[in-house]
Amino acid sequence: MTATMPRTSRHESLQSRLETLRTERTELLAELTAPSSGDDADRATNVDGHVRVAMLDRRIAALEEELISVEFGSTVSTGTIKAGDVVTLDFGDGPESFLFGSVEQAADGTDVITPGSPLGQALSAAQVGQTISYAAKPRRVLEVKLVAVS
């Protein structure tokens, strides 16, 4: 696990990633709105492009929220965990550490749990020492113990 990045470096890194995603979104929209007289295969690509735009919109919104958190030092959280924290979890075979936040925050090789994932949503209200359940898939409930937050 890597050390926590200083606030200004983190801010610059997030801002750079945000600009990259915004540029990617603009370029994709330009491709999608270009006149086309294609066949069904071209329209299928168009659907894929719209799905990708929606995905980029979600990632951009998450980065913008994270930037606000970095800029204003927000620590709003319903439990003990906030974006940027390192959580240690035990899935039953020993403790493992993860970054709780967006994939943009992660350094190479860092495993991330995003707040919007089923596990992330369950963890956001958890307290250290608590065992929580979450639905990994429909009809598949898993348990994990929150060992530590740093």
Side-chain angles (χ1 to χ4, degrees):
M1 189 61 52
T2 60
T4 303
M5 184 182 310
R7 182 176 281 191
T8 55
S9 295
R10 184 171 166 210
H11 181 272
E12 290 168 3
S13 174
L14 291 172
Q15 189 66 43
S16 173
R17 182 67 183 140
L18 182 59
E19 291 306 315
T20 300
L21 289 175
R22 285 179 176 159
T23 300
E24 187 177 338
R25 183 184 186 282
T26 300
E27 291 170 356
L28 184 56
L29 280 175
E31 289 176 24
L32 290 173
T33 57
S36 173
S37 59
D39 58 9
D40 288 340
D42 290 331
R43 284 190 291 282
T45 301
N46 198 6
V47 170
D48 289 342
H50 285 288
V51 169
R52 180 129 174 86
V53 168
M55 182 182 69
L56 286 169
D57 285 342
R58 285 191 301 273
R59 291 179 68 194
I60 288 168
L63 271 174
E64 288 171 338
E65 189 174 310
E66 192 172 334
L67 271 168
I68 290 169
S69 174
V70 169
E71 289 172 1
F72 298 105
S74 173
T75 57
V76 177
S77 172
T78 56
T80 60
I81 302 171
K82 62 187 178 307
D85 285 345
V86 175
V87 295
T88 303
L89 305 175
D90 188 347
F91 291 91
D93 53 353
E96 299 175 61
S97 294
F98 302 86
L99 176 68
F100 185 79
S102 68
V103 293
E104 283 78 17
Q105 285 181 280
D108 291 335
T110 304
D111 292 322
V112 177
I113 298 172
T114 59
S117 68
L119 176 54
Q121 291 175 4
L123 283 172
S124 67
Q127 301 294 320
V128 173
Q130 184 178 5
T131 298
I132 58 168
S133 299
Y134 67 100
K137 295 180 180 178
R139 297 184 304 259
R140 180 154 188 220
V141 177
L142 300 176
E143 288 190 340
V144 63
K145 181 175 183 174
L146 178 57
V147 177
V149 177
S150 55

